[in-house]
Amino acid sequence: MKFKIFISSVQDEFAEERRGLKDWLSSDPFLSRFVENVFLFEDTPSRGIAPDAMYIDEVKNSDIYIGLVGSSYYGGNSCKQAMSATEAEYLAACEAGLERLIYVKTC
């Protein structure tokens, strides 16, 4: 069985970690045998639909949710929203019953 993995975090704070994690999961000789797709929002071309609807759909179509949590709650100019995209993605993963792995940056 191959898994679809969704990586969630504030993009600005975890840009290197997000890219490194996707590259590792996709190219490691052992792990890549179990990975069908690793979703990063920044790799998705514009589709003409609202970004929040798109990433929630991607979460629901995944098997595993990986959340990276640090010192930022919002990223960029998204402070206009009532809830961060990362929190909305996490709640969608809970609702969909996905396996959830959360990593917290403490330094």
Side-chain angles (χ1 to χ4, degrees):
M1 178 176 190
K2 288 195 167 202
F3 298 98
K4 295 178 186 174
I5 300 171
F6 186 97
I7 298 176
S8 177
S9 71
V10 173
Q11 288 181 24
D12 300 8
E13 185 175 3
F14 288 99
E16 288 181 42
E17 292 88 344
R18 291 166 64 86
R19 175 64 47 206
L21 187 54
K22 178 179 181 173
D23 291 347
W24 177 60
L25 291 167
S26 300
S27 64
D28 181 82
F30 177 73
L31 292 175
S32 63
R33 292 188 293 172
F34 303 100
V35 176
E36 179 179 329
N37 182 50
V38 178
F39 179 83
L40 289 180
F41 182 78
E42 57 269 30
D43 290 346
T44 306
S46 179
R47 295 191 210 171
I49 62 172
D52 53 344
M54 194 256 314
Y55 62 69
I56 295 301
D57 285 344
E58 289 292 338
V59 169
K60 291 178 180 179
N61 289 317
S62 296
D63 302 300
I64 299 170
Y65 168 94
I66 297 176
L68 307 175
V69 178
S71 59
S72 296
Y73 179 72
Y74 292 105
N77 294 322
S78 64
C79 293
K80 299 171 190 166
Q81 299 174 323
M83 178 186 303
S84 76
T86 306
E87 184 176 356
E89 292 162 357
Y90 174 76
L91 293 174
C94 291
E95 186 178 300
L98 301 186
E99 184 74 28
R100 297 171 303 277
L101 306 168
I102 308 299
Y103 298 91
V104 179
K105 182 177 181 180
T106 57
C107 306

